[in-house]
Amino acid sequence: MAHLIRHKISNKITNAMNTASNKSQAKVSGAFARLGFQAATDEEGLGFAECDDLDYDYRQGMRMDAVQTEDGGEEVTGDGLEGDSHYQRDGTRHRASVKSGEGCEEFVEVKPKITAWDAGWNVTNAIQGMFVLGLPYAILHGGYLGLFLIIFAAVVCCYTGKILIACLYEENEDGELVRVRDSYVDIANACCAPRFPTLGGHIVNVAQIIELVMTCILYVVVSGNLLYNSFPWLPVSQKAWAVLATVALIPCAFLKDLKSVSKFSMLCTVAHFFINVVVIAYCLSRAHDWAWEKVKFYIDVKKFPISIGIIVFSYTSQIFLPSLEGSMQRPSEFHCMMDWTHIAACVLKGLFALVAYLTWADETEEVITDNLPGGIRAVVNLFLVAKALLSYPLPFFAAVEVFEKSFFGGGSIFPDCYGPARKLKSWGLGLRITLVVFTLLMALFVPHFALLMGLTGSLTGAGLCFLLPSLFHLKLLWRKLLWHHVFFDVAIFVVGGICSVSGFIHSIEGLIEAYK
């Protein structure tokens, strides 16, 4: 008890010192607040104070429990309390057992957590997915500059992914990082508060839904295209193949958590490496015919902006990152996971795009496997179809989460999709199946893989990967940023904005020409 009294006295002295320090900092931060850059709004400051109070009460309660245990009371143990103390989450439920004096034991159930390897499989599947098939087409219109953009996009997307997660955290009074936001939407709302507390969330929700649904549509488009080119002698159209592929995707409506999705992602990665090995091996067998003279420094001014969108879209994973990081057992391993996944993606994408383009040069197709000879093409395409179908659950699950959080339950205009014990209601299952059917209908009406990639990458990919993370980082953490961080954020915002506008315009022009 004497220890608790001393701790309370020291805590009051610390609070008094912090109050005096805050008054002196207010004069300095006022200038930045007038410019719109502020570490936290009044509402956020109140929220952080409440988090600190809850954290203090929690720690005091743990000490009291320890005192009671010594007196023969209850004993609390839990494996969920392990990990990096600097990344403990506010309000996170842990799996714990409570033992009473009578020997009874009660378990608290928690949401399944994933390891850094599971998270890495998900990110790898997102940035090394089907969309690498369009990278040789980007080299066709960009030459060496296209190769440079593959490397540049990897570095930038890795950086913006890290700063996006940094915006989820704030320091409490003890200097520990506390997760005060849970999603991309929470970050956007924090930046627009207090004048427009929900505007940012609505903008991000719209962008996320477009990005995720377009990703699902592209998986259906490429599945139909690959199956049609694998069996050209069968009297089945590309649209009919797309319908058959969609039938296999109906079970995605029953997904419950990211743990199941991680298993699909691991299988996708295995299939991806097999495909890369086969394609690169075939290209190496024709190394004596490589057209090095075709790779130049000039660019096709009209079509290269579409290539920028393709490259950017092939690295989009930011919309998944808050959910993935929130599901990790050890969030402190997130940065390391981002580094190795993006380094691996950069190396493999660069080699794949260059070797494939050198092999077919000006005859490079939108989907590179269409250039392979008949026998090899059929085998590779079947693996690609399997990969596309296994890749579909991750963006689908993320899109479902966005829909449910935005429109169902929690004070939304529609009732909750879940009943007691988090059991999905029948009409909620029907809505998920409707989303699968919608992706099929869009794939049937717009069956242009490369143009859809360029349009999506320019419209939402650049916004979610380049523009918004850098803007949010400047807004929320302005007072803590060094000069080079500010320079990087501003440069990424400007370059990303230019690429987004130009790529969007030229992708629309390409789609108009395709339908003439």
Side-chain angles (χ1 to χ4, degrees):
M1 296 301 295
H3 174 73
L4 292 177
I5 295 174
R6 288 196 299 270
H7 183 81
K8 290 182 178 179
I9 294 174
S10 62
N11 188 63
K12 291 181 179 179
I13 295 174
T14 302
N15 289 338
M17 295 175 63
N18 289 337
T19 301
S21 176
N22 291 337
K23 290 180 180 179
S24 62
Q25 292 177 1
K27 297 180 181 180
V28 178
S29 61
F32 294 109
R34 296 186 189 96
L35 296 174
F37 296 101
Q38 190 170 333
T41 60
D42 294 338
E43 286 80 4
E44 285 179 291
L46 179 61
F48 300 155
E50 292 175 352
C51 290
D52 292 341
D53 292 340
L54 290 173
D55 182 68
Y56 174 76
D57 293 339
Y58 170 77
R59 286 185 278 109
Q60 294 297 326
M62 290 296 290
R63 291 190 178 95
M64 290 302 296
D65 288 343
V67 173
Q68 292 176 5
T69 301
E70 293 176 0
D71 296 336
E74 296 181 343
E75 181 182 356
V76 180
T77 61
D79 56 358
L81 299 178
E82 297 177 359
D84 192 343
S85 62
H86 292 281
Y87 287 86
Q88 296 297 327
R89 292 183 179 82
D90 179 50
T92 300
R93 293 177 298 165
H94 300 289
R95 184 181 186 277
S97 62
V98 182
K99 298 179 180 178
S100 62
E102 299 177 357
C104 298
E105 191 168 339
E106 180 182 356
F107 291 94
V108 180
E109 188 176 354
V110 297
K111 187 176 181 180
K113 296 291 184 180
I114 61 176
T115 64
W117 282 102
D118 289 329
W121 287 124
N122 281 312
V123 173
T124 299
N125 184 42
I127 64 178
Q128 300 231 60
M130 298 293 300
F131 310 115
V132 299
L133 301 178
L135 292 180
Y137 187 75
I139 303 299
L140 172 66
H141 300 299
Y144 286 110
L145 185 57
L147 285 175
F148 169 77
L149 283 177
I150 291 175
I151 301 172
F152 177 77
V155 174
V156 173
C157 288
C158 183
Y159 172 77
T160 56
K162 292 177 181 179
I163 64 176
L164 181 66
I165 297 303
C167 293
L168 297 173
Y169 290 88
E170 293 289 347
E171 289 186 0
N172 62 10
E173 62 179 8
D174 297 328
E176 296 177 342
L177 290 176
V178 179
R179 202 176 200 259
V180 296
R181 306 177 187 97
D182 292 323
S183 64
Y184 212 142
V185 173
D186 292 341
I187 297 173
N189 285 334
C191 290
C192 294
R195 295 182 180 179
F196 307 101
T198 60
L199 176 62
H202 293 323
I203 294 174
V204 170
N205 271 336
V206 171
Q208 284 187 16
I209 290 173
I210 294 174
E211 175 93 0
L212 293 168
V213 173
M214 288 295 291
T215 302
C216 294
I217 293 170
L218 282 168
Y219 283 134
V220 178
V221 170
V222 77
S223 296
N225 177 276
L226 292 170
L227 288 171
Y228 177 74
N229 286 290
S230 299
F231 308 101
W233 62 87
L234 292 178
V236 182
S237 66
Q238 180 176 336
K239 293 183 178 181
W241 281 118
V243 173
L244 292 175
T246 306
V247 172
L249 298 173
I250 297 297
C252 293
F254 298 90
L255 288 174
K256 293 182 178 180
D257 53 59
L258 278 173
K259 190 70 176 178
S260 303
V261 177
S262 298
K263 304 304 180 183
F264 290 123
S265 298
M266 185 167 58
L267 294 174
C268 287
T269 304
V270 173
H272 175 77
F273 283 121
F274 172 80
I275 294 164
N276 278 357
V277 168
V278 172
V279 175
I280 292 177
Y282 176 80
C283 293
L284 291 176
S285 68
R286 295 183 53 188
H288 58 281
D289 296 327
W290 281 0
W292 284 101
E293 69 279 1
K294 296 289 184 178
V295 188
K296 300 181 179 179
F297 288 96
Y298 77 91
I299 62 174
D300 187 331
V301 178
K302 186 176 182 180
K303 294 185 178 181
F304 182 65
I306 302 175
S307 300
I308 296 176
I310 293 174
I311 293 172
V312 171
F313 188 71
S314 70
Y315 280 106
T316 54
S317 64
Q318 273 70 5
I319 51 181
F320 310 128
L321 296 183
S323 178
L324 282 176
E325 194 268 350
S327 300
M328 290 178 64
Q329 294 174 357
R330 296 181 180 273
S332 57
E333 299 176 350
F334 177 81
H335 281 205
C336 179
M337 181 272 295
M338 287 291 289
D339 288 337
W340 67 259
T341 52
H342 282 75
I343 290 173
C346 176
V347 173
L348 291 176
K349 285 181 178 182
L351 289 176
F352 183 87
L354 178 61
V355 169
Y357 175 74
L358 289 174
T359 303
W360 290 286
D362 294 338
E363 297 178 359
T364 301
E365 299 285 349
E366 290 185 5
V367 181
I368 193 60
T369 55
D370 289 344
N371 290 106
L372 292 171
I376 299 177
R377 182 175 63 209
V379 175
V380 171
N381 282 355
L382 287 177
F383 272 90
L384 284 171
V385 171
K387 176 174 170 53
L389 298 180
L390 292 172
S391 299
Y392 187 95
L394 180 59
F396 177 82
F397 181 78
V400 167
E401 280 196 327
V402 173
F403 273 118
E404 290 177 350
K405 291 180 180 179
S406 301
F407 302 107
F408 300 95
S412 302
I413 56 178
F414 299 108
D416 198 345
C417 295
Y418 296 90
R422 298 296 294 170
K423 185 177 181 181
L424 185 64
K425 297 179 180 178
S426 58
W427 63 270
L429 178 61
L431 289 176
R432 293 188 174 196
I433 295 176
T434 301
L435 181 58
V436 176
V437 175
F438 175 77
T439 60
L440 168 64
L441 295 176
M442 291 298 297
L444 297 179
F445 285 112
V446 192
H448 299 282
F449 181 71
L451 292 177
L452 277 177
M453 275 188 67
L455 177 63
T456 308
S458 300
L459 180 61
T460 60
L464 292 171
C465 293
F466 293 168
L467 304 181
L468 294 183
S470 57
L471 181 62
F472 293 163
H473 195 228
L474 288 170
K475 174 71 175 179
L476 294 176
L477 302 177
W478 172 262
R479 292 173 57 186
K480 300 179 181 179
L481 298 180
L482 300 176
W483 69 268
H484 60 276
H485 292 147
V486 176
F487 174 79
F488 290 154
D489 290 348
V490 173
I492 291 172
F493 185 85
V494 173
V495 174
I498 295 173
C499 293
S500 177
V501 173
S502 61
F504 176 75
I505 293 174
H506 288 87
S507 296
I508 293 293
E509 291 178 350
L511 285 173
I512 293 174
E513 291 180 1
Y515 280 97
K516 283 184 178 180

